């Protein structure tokens, strides 16, 4: 099967950034508490007229324009999200309609929480292999502010809204590896009772323990599959949940900290959107260069985990 190359990225954030200081006016918290435990300084929340569709379409438009491809050549459109505007139609279908994307291709949402973007990348590769088409549009988008209880300080300070998008090309012999896994259950992280009820519940310490075990296991899994070491990887882009989780893993792996990109200070935890938002920021800063190898790792609700290695 062909590997995937990252051709272009885009991102779209709500207009309103909310600082830790502002959060401390809504709930009993402080910039010091949030920043020291998570590394988060601000996040974006959707306001009037901003939806999962406006964010996803904005990010996708940017990625498609930068890729230079004719959208008619897309082989699939996947949207990773746990906070779509509708249960049906899928958000991916809404993006397809909004952007006038082709009809004779798979268009669907993937719900694997913070691992969703990487699950979607692996699925996109399979769809391209099936059809022989060359390009995939993969979007990660969340409006988590809709799912949160804004009076619960233990969760509402952690998450944010946003979207990132990527265009991938199927290229023969391009290096590619991926893995996915899940340990189903709702004790640690859940949103209910109804799918759109604003009650995200989380056992923060259990998530922490899960994450610092899952990330090194994912990295080791990809390196074993590819017979590479971290020296061969230019960037490790992990789901941006919490700076302390990443620092813990870097230490555990004896890994070079400078290869781990971090941007949770600016966005909070945007679940499925966090990895493509990070990729787009890195692109914008000129950190991503042709020929580089990236290893991305996601972990989160489900519980789920996933990793992917691809080149630029
Ligand atoms: N501001 C001030 N105090 C708070 C806040 C807040 N926002 N939230 C909780 N507290 C209080 C608690 O009530 C508790 O007070 P108590 O001791 O009087 O009961 C105290 O702070 C300590 O609470 P802990 O939960 O023990 O704090 P901890 O140091 O474990 O940090 C945190 C909590 C940041 C959630 C941590 O457990 C963590 O990072 N977990 C990982 C969670 C995560 O990243 N989730 C992301 C979502 S899932 C995903 O993406 C994988």
């Amino acid at each position: 099967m062909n590997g995937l190359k990252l051709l272009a990225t885009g991102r779209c954030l709500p207009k309103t950034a909310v600082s830790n200081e502002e959060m401390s006016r809504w709930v009993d918290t402080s910039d010091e508490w949030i920043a020291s435990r998570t590394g988060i300084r601000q996040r974006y929340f959707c306001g009037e007229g901003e939806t999962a569709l406006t964010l996803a379409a904005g990010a996708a438009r940017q990625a498609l324009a930068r890729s230079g491809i004719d959208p008619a050549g897309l082989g699939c459109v996947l949207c990773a999200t746990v906070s779509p505007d509708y249960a049906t139609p899928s958000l991916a279908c809404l993006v397809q309609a909004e952007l006038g994307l082709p009809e004779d291709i798979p268009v669907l949402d993937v719900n694997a929480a913070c691992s969703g973007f990487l699950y979607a990348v692996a699925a996109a590769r399979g769809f391209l292999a099936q059809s022989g088409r060359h390009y995939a549009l993969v979007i990660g988008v969340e409006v988590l502010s809709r799912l949160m209880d804004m009076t619960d300080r233990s969760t509402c300070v952690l998450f944010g809204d946003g979207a990132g998008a990527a265009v991938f090309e199927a290229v023969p012999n391009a290096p590619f590896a991926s893995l996915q896994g899940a340990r189903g259950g709702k004790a640690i992280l859940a949103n209910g009772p109804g799918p759109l009820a604003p009650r995200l519940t989380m056992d923060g310490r259990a998530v922490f323990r899960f994450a610092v075990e899952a990330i090194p296991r994912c990295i080791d899994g990809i390196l074993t599959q590819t017979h590479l070491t971290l020296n061969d990887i230019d960037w490790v882009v992990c789901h941006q949940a919490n700076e302390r989780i990443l620092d813990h893993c870097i230490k555990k792996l004896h890994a070079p900290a400078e290869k781990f990109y971090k941007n949770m200070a600016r966005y909070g935890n945007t679940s499925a959107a966090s990895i493509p938002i990070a990729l787009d920021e890195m692109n914008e800063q000129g950190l991503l260069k042709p020929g580089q190898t990236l290893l991305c790792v996601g972990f989160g609700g489900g519980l789920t985990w996933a990793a992917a290695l691809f080149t630029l």
Side-chain angles (χ1 to χ4, degrees), residues 207-222:
V207 171
F208 199 102
R209 283 195 298 275
F210 159 67
V212 297
E213 177 263 326
I215 298 172
R217 189 160 40 80
C218 283
I219 292 176
D220 283 345
I222 292 290

Side-chain angles (χ1 to χ4, degrees), residues 29 33 37 114 153 159 189 202 204-205 239 242 269 299-300:
T29 190
W33 194 97
R37 279 170 180 78
C114 315
R153 68 176 182 176
F159 299 95
L189 193 55
M202 181 184 72
R205 288 186 173 183
H239 166 50
N242 180 314
N269 178 346
F299 54 93

Side-chain angles (χ1 to χ4, degrees), residues 107-238:
V107 175
L108 74 157
D109 287 358
V110 172
N111 179 333
C114 315
S115 316
F117 180 76
L118 299 179
Y119 265 73
V121 168
R125 181 173 176 239
F127 283 128
L128 294 185
Q130 171 190 277
S131 64
R133 287 180 177 245
H134 297 294
Y135 303 108
L137 173 62
V138 185
I139 305 163
V141 56
E142 301 289 6
V143 185
L144 296 172
S145 58
R146 263 194 218 138
L147 307 184
M148 292 192 297
D149 176 353
M150 287 296 186
T151 64
D152 176 8
R153 68 176 182 176
S154 69
T155 53
C156 74
V157 302
L158 301 177
F159 299 95
D161 302 339
V167 177
F168 288 94
E169 180 179 9
V171 177
N173 303 320
F176 186 87
S178 69
L179 60 81
Q180 305 81 33
R183 189 183 303 152
K186 55 186 172 16
I188 293 180
L189 193 55
N191 167 234
L196 296 180
R199 278 190 51 210
L200 189 98
T201 56
M202 181 184 72
D203 177 345
R205 288 186 173 183
V207 171
F208 199 102
R209 283 195 298 275
F210 159 67
V212 297
E213 177 263 326
I215 298 172
R217 189 160 40 80
C218 283
I219 292 176
D220 283 345
I222 292 290
L223 294 179
T224 305
Q225 262 190 54
T226 53
H227 308 289
L228 297 175
T229 71
L230 275 178
N231 290 335
D232 304 307
I233 308 296
D234 294 288
W235 289 103
V236 182
V237 184
C238 292

